[in-house]
Amino acid sequence: MREVNSNRETITDQELQEMVAQTDNGARHPVGSAGKLLFGVALAWSLFQLWVASPLPFAFAIGVFNDTEVRVIHLVFAFFLAFTAFPAFKQSPREVIPFQDWVFAILGAASAAYLFIFYDSLADRSGAPITADLIVGVIGMLLLLEATRRALGPPLVIVAIVFLTYAFGGPYMPDVIAHKGQSLSKVMSHQWLTTEGVFGVALGVSSSFVFLFVLFGAMLEKAGAGNYFIKMAFALLGHMKGGPAKAAVVASATTGLISGSSIANVATTGTFTIPLMKRVGFPGTKAGAVEVAGSTNGQLTPPVMGAAAFLMIEYVGITYIEVIKHAILPAIISYIALFYIVHLEALKMNMKGLPKRVHTTLAQKLMTFSAIVAGTCAIGLAVFYGIGWIKTYTGDFAIYIVGVFVLAAYLGLLKYSARYPELEMDDPNSEVIELPEIGPTVKVGLYFLLPIVVLMWCLVVERFSPGLSAFWATLFMIFIVLTQRPLHAKFRKLDAEAPLKRGVNDCIDGLVTGARNMIGIGIATAAAGIVVGTITLTGIGQVMVEFVELISGGSLILALIFTAMICIILGMGLPTTANYIVVSSLMAPVVISLAASNGMIVPLVVVHMFVFYFGILADDTPPVGLAAFAAAAIAKSDPIKTGIQGFMYDIRTGILPFMFIFNNQLLLIGIGSIFELLIVIASATAGMLLFAAATQGYWLTKSRLRESAALLLITFTLFRPGFWWDMVYEPVDIVPAVQITKIAEQLPVESNLQMMVAGENIDGKFVEHAILLPLGAAGTGEERLASAGLEVRVDGDKVLADNVMFGSAAQAAGLDFDWEITNLQVAANRPPKHLMFIPALLLLALVAMTQRRRHKKTETTAA
C-alpha cells in the first residue's frame, strides 16, 4: 500500500479513498451477499442508463421510456444506493448494512417507483391527489432529506427544509417575503407528483446527460488514462522551476476535465504531486493549496463542469456547444494564471527543476504548458476541419467512415504503444526523484485521446445531443477497457488470457464505479428540486428581486457582491451541482432584473456563469472546503491555512465573473471578427497574468506597493477597456422613441434593438428597465417589429406598445401591453475601445523598466 510521507506522519491510500467515498461514492463496502447485491444494483443502474441513452430501444421497440419515467427510475436507483452505500453516522458499520437501512432503501425506492407504477392514474387525477399519493409524497420527501444528509451532509438538507418551511409558513414571514402559504396537499402534489419539484429539470439533466459523462470519466480512469495524464504532465513540465507544482496544475486540469469532483481530483493527483512539491521546497500549506486550486478549477472547465454545463442547457435554453464556447476562455486563462502563480512562487523561493534522465531535445523543450494547451486546441480543430469534410461529402454515411478510421487509429496507436513499457508512477518518497522520459511517456498512451475525438466528433460535427454523444464515447471507452490489455499482450507476443480477464473485470468495475459516483449527484439534483419547486410554487423569485434591490439600494455592484457572498456561503456545504441549481434559480433573475433597471442588458448565460463560478470557489473556502481538507491531509498541513492559501490563489478566478458581467466578450459574446477574437484572448490572458503578479507581490522582482497597484490598474484596463472609454465617448446614442420604425428598418439583419421601457407590472408596481428586441430579416420597420411580436402606436411624443403577441420575442424580452417605450439606445459611432490598451501597455513598460533596473542592481550587489 502506498503511503505519503511527511515528517514521519502518513496517510494511506485507504484513508484517502475513505475521504473520497464519504463525499462521492459511499463509504460502505459490505461483504457477502449484501455486497454482491450492492454491486449488482450499481451495475444494473449503469446498464439501464446506457440502454435508455442508446438508439436500441427505438430500433427494437423494447424498453422505451419517456423522460419522466427515466427520471423516476434514476431516482429509484439513487435512493436504494444512498441508504445502502452511505452509513447513517461516522461510527456506523462499514462491512454490514443494518436492518433499518434496508427498510429505508426499500421505502425510498418504492416511494419514487410509485410514480412509475401508477403513472397513468396520477396523470388522470393531476392536481387532485388522493390520500395514498400524499402519504407516499411525505414518506418520499422525508427519506430524500435523510438520503441527502447521508450522501452530502447537513447543508443541503438545511436549505431544503428552509424552503419547505417557507412554502408552508408564508403568512408568518416578514412582510417583504410573505405570501399566502400552501397546504400540505398542494406542496406534496407540486413537489413529488409533478415535474416541477423533485422530478424536475435538474433530475432530468442528471438522468439524461450527467450520468453518461461521469461513467465516461470512470471508464477513462479504469483504462489508466488518469495515470497517463499525471505521468505525462511530470515528464513534460517537471524539469522547470517548481516543476512538480506546474505538473500538478496540468495533471489536475486533465483529470478534472473528466472527474467532475474536486475532492476526487485532489485524492487522485495530490498523492503524487503534493509530496513532490514539498520535496522541491514548497511548504505543505502552499503545496496543498496549489493542488486544491488546480482541482477546483477542473470543474470550471468543459466538458463536464461539475454537471453545470448540462443544467445550463436547460435553464438558459442554449446548446451544449454554446455552453462550451462561453466557458472555455475563462477556464483556460484561469489555469494559465495558476500556472504562472506557481512559477512566481518558484522564483521567490529560488527553486530548481527535477533532474532529467536523458538529454532533452529541442522538440521536447517545445513541449511546454503552452504547447499542451495548443495541442488540445489542435485536436479540436483537427476534428472539425481535418476530418469534418467527410461529413460534407458523405452525409449520413460519414459516421461509419469515421468509425472505421477511429478503429484503425486505435489499433495502430495501440500497436505503437506496445513498444514501450507500461507506465508506473514514481515513488514520491524515494531519495532521488528523476523525471520519466518524455518520448516513451507521451507515446504509450496516445490512444487515450481517441475517445475525446469521438466525443468531439459527435458533439461538433454530427450535432448529436450531449447524452447520445456521451453514449458513443462511453461505448468506445468500454471497448478500449476490454481490449487494450489483451491486444497489448498479443502485440508483445504474451499470453492474452489473464489480460482479457482483467479487462472484463476492469470494465465491470468501471460500470459500478461510475454508478456509485453518481449517487451523490442524483440525490443532490433531486433535493435541489425542492428549492426549485418552492420558487415556482410561491413566486419567491420576484420577491427576491425586490428584497435584493432594497438591501443593495438598486446598485448593481452591491447586488453582485451580495449574490457572490450567497454563492460562496451556500457552496461551502453544497456540492457544485446543487449549489448551482439553488443559486441560479434564486439569484440569476435578480441580477438580470437589477441590470435592466440600471440600463444594462446582461445575457442570461453570463449571469449563470457568474453564480456558477462563485459556487466553485466554496470548495476551497474555510471553514468547510472539502477539497482543502483532503489536500491538507496529504500535505500534513493545517486545513484552514491550506484553504485560505488556496482561496488566495483562486482570487484570480473570483475577479473573472465581475469582469465578464461588464465585458461579455470574455465569454466570446458579441465578437465580430477573428481579429477582435484574438485581441480579446490576448488581452484577457495578459490581464490575468498581471493580476496574478500583482496579488503575489512579485513580477520581474519583488514588487513595491505602487507597482502592484499599477499592475492592478493595467489588469482592469485590459479586462474592461470600455470603462475608461465610456468616460470619453458615450457608448450609445439616445434616440427619441418616435423614430422606432425608422431605426428598426435601418438596423442590420438579425440584430437587436435596445430600448428603455416603462409601465406597470402584474403586481401593479411601476418599473423601468432596458430590453433587447431581436429583429429578424430585412424589411420595413413595421414588418420587423411585427416579426418580434410588437405593434406600436404614437400618442403625441409618446410611443406605446399597442399589442404584444403572446409567446413572442417582445413578451420574452419583458415588454407588456400599453407600456411606454421611453427611448431607443443605438450604438454610438466611436473609436474602438481597445485603444485604451496603449496607455496601459506604456504603464506596464514603465513598471517593467523600474523592476528590471532594481533586479539588476540586486544581482550586482549579491555578486
Side-chain angles (χ1 to χ4, degrees):
M1 178 176 295
R2 184 178 68 248
E3 294 184 344
V4 179
N5 194 340
S6 178
N7 297 327
R8 302 299 180 184
E9 298 179 355
T10 60
I11 179 169
T12 65
D13 273 346
Q14 184 176 356
E15 291 170 325
L16 277 173
Q17 293 307 317
E18 182 77 9
M19 293 176 66
V20 176
Q22 288 174 358
T23 56
D24 282 352
N25 53 35
R28 184 180 281 151
H29 293 274
V31 296
S33 56
K36 292 178 181 177
L37 178 62
L38 193 60
F39 186 90
V41 171
L43 179 61
W45 192 9
S46 287
L47 294 176
F48 167 76
Q49 294 289 165
L50 286 171
W51 173 262
V52 296
S54 73
L56 296 179
F58 300 97
F60 296 104
I62 299 174
V64 178
F65 302 95
N66 63 38
D67 289 343
T68 303
E69 290 172 328
V70 172
R71 296 177 191 182
V72 168
I73 297 173
H74 185 79
L75 187 56
V76 167
F77 279 111
F79 249 139
F80 186 87
L81 290 172
F83 285 109
T84 52
F86 287 87
F89 305 102
K90 287 185 178 180
Q91 65 271 24
S92 298
R94 300 296 196 265
E95 291 75 27
V96 297
I97 302 175
F99 174 77
Q100 66 271 18
D101 284 358
W102 285 114
V103 174
F104 290 154
I106 293 170
L107 283 177
S111 61
Y114 182 83
L115 278 76
F116 179 82
I117 297 169
F118 299 101
Y119 186 84
D120 294 333
S121 301
L122 290 169
D124 292 339
R125 57 176 182 267
S126 177
I130 62 176
T131 304
D133 298 341
L134 296 178
I135 292 173
V136 170
V138 170
I139 293 173
M141 291 287 280
L142 292 174
L143 289 175
L144 176 59
L145 293 174
E146 170 58 13
T148 304
R149 185 193 68 81
R150 292 186 181 208
L152 305 163
L156 183 54
V157 178
I158 294 171
V159 171
I161 291 175
V162 166
F163 275 83
L164 283 174
T165 303
Y166 177 76
F168 289 117
Y172 310 103
M173 297 292 166
D175 289 342
V176 70
I177 59 171
H179 64 95
K180 65 179 182 179
Q182 302 293 338
S183 66
L184 177 66
S185 174
K186 182 68 175 177
V187 171
M188 288 302 107
S189 176
H190 188 81
Q191 295 280 18
W192 197 262
L193 303 178
T194 71
T195 55
E196 296 293 327
V198 171
F199 297 95
V201 170
L203 188 63
V205 169
S206 177
S207 61
S208 302
F209 305 146
V210 180
F211 191 104
L212 292 165
F213 276 87
V214 171
L215 184 59
F216 177 68
M219 283 296 174
L220 268 174
E221 186 63 35
K222 280 294 177 184
N227 180 50
Y228 170 69
F229 291 142
I230 294 170
K231 195 79 170 182
M232 185 172 63
F234 275 112
L236 296 175
L237 304 169
H239 66 281
M240 303 171 71
K241 290 186 178 181
K246 293 174 179 176
V249 173
V250 176
S252 295
T254 51
T255 56
L257 297 180
I258 57 176
S259 73
S261 168
S262 56
I263 187 171
N265 200 346
V266 168
T268 301
T269 60
T271 51
F272 304 106
T273 59
I274 292 175
L276 286 173
M277 281 188 267
K278 293 177 71 175
R279 283 291 306 279
V280 297
F282 275 87
T285 299
K286 290 188 176 182
V290 168
E291 182 59 46
V292 169
S295 296
T296 53
N297 270 236
Q299 293 189 79
L300 302 175
T301 312
V304 178
M305 294 170 61
F310 314 109
L311 288 162
M312 284 185 195
I313 295 171
E314 301 296 329
Y315 287 163
V316 183
I318 59 179
T319 65
Y320 180 71
I321 298 300
E322 289 177 292
V323 172
I324 291 177
K325 182 187 80 171
H326 298 319
I328 192 66
L329 179 59
I332 289 177
I333 64 175
S334 186
Y335 263 120
I336 291 174
L338 180 57
F339 191 88
Y340 187 55
I341 286 173
V342 168
H343 180 69
L344 294 176
E345 290 279 19
L347 289 177
K348 285 191 284 186
M349 291 183 273
N350 196 27
M351 293 181 183
K352 304 297 182 183
L354 296 177
K356 307 168 190 174
R357 289 186 178 178
V358 295
H359 177 70
T360 307
T361 65
L362 176 62
Q364 291 168 345
K365 287 180 181 178
L366 295 175
M367 300 179 76
T368 60
F369 177 73
S370 301
I372 294 171
V373 175
T376 305
C377 297
I379 293 173
L381 293 174
V383 172
F384 189 76
Y385 294 106
I387 60 177
W389 61 269
I390 299 175
K391 179 72 174 178
T392 305
Y393 291 102
T394 60
D396 293 338
F397 197 68
I399 191 168
Y400 302 104
I401 297 175
V402 172
V404 172
F405 170 78
V406 170
L407 180 60
Y410 169 64
L411 293 174
L413 289 173
L414 199 65
K415 185 175 182 179
Y416 183 61
S417 69
R419 302 177 184 177
Y420 304 97
E422 292 186 14
L423 294 179
E424 294 181 3
M425 184 59 66
D426 291 332
D427 181 4
N429 304 303
S430 62
E431 291 299 322
V432 178
I433 302 175
E434 288 186 331
L435 292 176
E437 294 183 50
I438 294 179
T441 304
V442 172
K443 295 170 185 175
V444 78
L446 286 174
Y447 61 92
F448 287 130
L449 299 177
L450 291 176
I452 310 297
V453 171
V454 171
L455 182 63
M456 294 178 66
W457 168 268
C458 293
L459 285 170
V460 178
V461 180
E462 294 290 343
R463 298 281 176 165
F464 291 159
S465 69
L468 186 57
S469 300
F471 166 76
W472 288 115
T474 304
L475 202 65
F476 185 52
M477 269 312 311
I478 291 174
F479 174 73
I480 290 177
V481 172
L482 288 171
T483 61
Q484 64 170 343
R485 288 186 173 88
L487 286 176
H488 263 147
K490 182 175 177 60
F491 292 140
R492 290 167 177 158
K493 298 181 180 180
L494 301 173
D495 182 22
E497 182 178 352
L500 179 60
K501 290 181 179 178
R502 184 181 173 188
V504 173
N505 290 335
D506 283 345
C507 179
I508 295 174
D509 286 344
L511 292 170
V512 172
T513 300
R516 292 191 61 141
N517 287 343
M518 271 301 300
I519 301 172
I521 296 176
I523 294 296
T525 51
I530 296 174
V531 176
V532 178
T534 302
I535 292 171
T536 58
L537 183 63
T538 62
I540 191 179
Q542 183 58 40
V543 173
M544 281 300 296
V545 172
E546 298 174 3
F547 178 68
V548 175
E549 190 172 11
L550 175 67
I551 65 174
S552 66
S555 168
L556 179 59
I557 287 293
L558 289 179
L560 290 172
I561 293 173
F562 180 69
T563 301
M565 290 172 60
I566 290 177
C567 295
I568 291 177
I569 291 170
L570 285 175
M572 286 183 187
L574 301 189
T576 304
T577 309
N579 182 34
Y580 169 71
I581 295 168
V582 172
V583 183
S584 63
S585 302
L586 201 59
M587 299 303 297
V590 175
V591 175
I592 291 173
S593 177
L594 286 178
S597 299
N598 283 268
M600 276 183 60
I601 304 295
V602 181
L604 185 58
V605 67
V606 176
V607 180
H608 278 255
M609 289 290 289
F610 180 92
V611 299
F612 172 61
Y613 260 58
F614 278 105
I616 290 292
L617 287 179
D619 269 358
D620 57 12
T621 304
V624 183
L626 296 177
F629 275 82
I634 301 171
K636 291 302 175 186
S637 59
D638 182 274
I640 301 299
K641 291 181 179 179
T642 302
I644 292 173
Q645 184 66 59
F647 186 78
M648 293 301 296
Y649 288 156
D650 268 342
I651 288 178
R652 77 200 189 285
T653 305
I655 69 160
L656 277 174
F658 285 99
M659 292 298 105
F660 57 59
I661 282 282
F662 296 99
N663 183 4
N664 300 163
Q665 287 185 326
L666 293 174
L667 298 184
L668 305 185
I669 296 173
I671 295 177
S673 65
I674 294 294
F675 177 74
E676 192 173 10
L677 173 64
L678 295 175
I679 289 290
V680 169
I681 293 174
S683 61
T685 304
M688 185 57 78
L689 293 176
L690 292 174
F691 180 80
T695 54
Q696 289 299 304
Y698 194 100
W699 187 32
L700 303 179
T701 188
K702 185 177 181 180
S703 298
R704 291 172 177 166
L705 187 60
R706 62 176 179 271
E707 292 172 338
S708 293
L711 292 177
L712 288 175
L713 179 63
I714 297 166
T715 297
F716 181 79
T717 304
L718 292 175
F719 274 128
R720 198 184 165 198
F723 178 83
W724 309 109
W725 217 229
D726 292 348
M727 295 180 179
V728 182
Y729 300 96
E730 289 293 334
V732 294
D733 292 329
I734 306 300
V735 179
V738 292
Q739 298 187 32
I740 186 169
T741 55
K742 177 183 177 182
I743 296 298
E745 184 174 346
Q746 293 175 349
L747 286 175
V749 174
E750 302 297 336
S751 59
N752 295 307
L753 176 59
Q754 184 167 329
M755 60 182 77
M756 289 295 295
V757 298
E760 285 190 3
N761 62 17
I762 195 171
D763 298 320
K765 181 182 177 182
F766 183 82
V767 296
E768 182 177 13
H769 58 246
I771 68 168
L772 275 181
L773 187 67
L775 302 177
T780 65
E782 292 85 354
E783 290 172 345
R784 300 190 75 183
L785 293 174
S787 69
L790 174 63
E791 295 178 5
V792 298
R793 75 175 187 273
V794 180
D795 185 4
D797 60 348
K798 292 185 177 181
V799 177
L800 303 175
D802 193 43
N803 183 30
V804 179
M805 295 181 62
F806 178 76
S808 65
Q811 185 188 50
L815 191 59
D816 206 350
F817 172 74
D818 217 29
W819 278 26
E820 181 184 357
I821 300 170
T822 57
N823 62 59
L824 309 177
Q825 299 176 348
V826 181
N829 185 17
R830 61 178 187 169
K833 62 185 179 181
H834 301 114
L835 290 176
M836 280 304 305
F837 291 164
I838 295 175
L841 294 176
L842 290 175
L843 178 58
L844 180 63
L846 178 62
V847 174
M849 184 173 62
T850 57
Q851 287 209 352
R852 191 180 297 278
R853 185 184 299 121
R854 192 164 68 251
H855 181 63
K856 287 183 178 179
K857 185 177 180 181
T858 303
E859 286 184 335
T860 303
T861 304

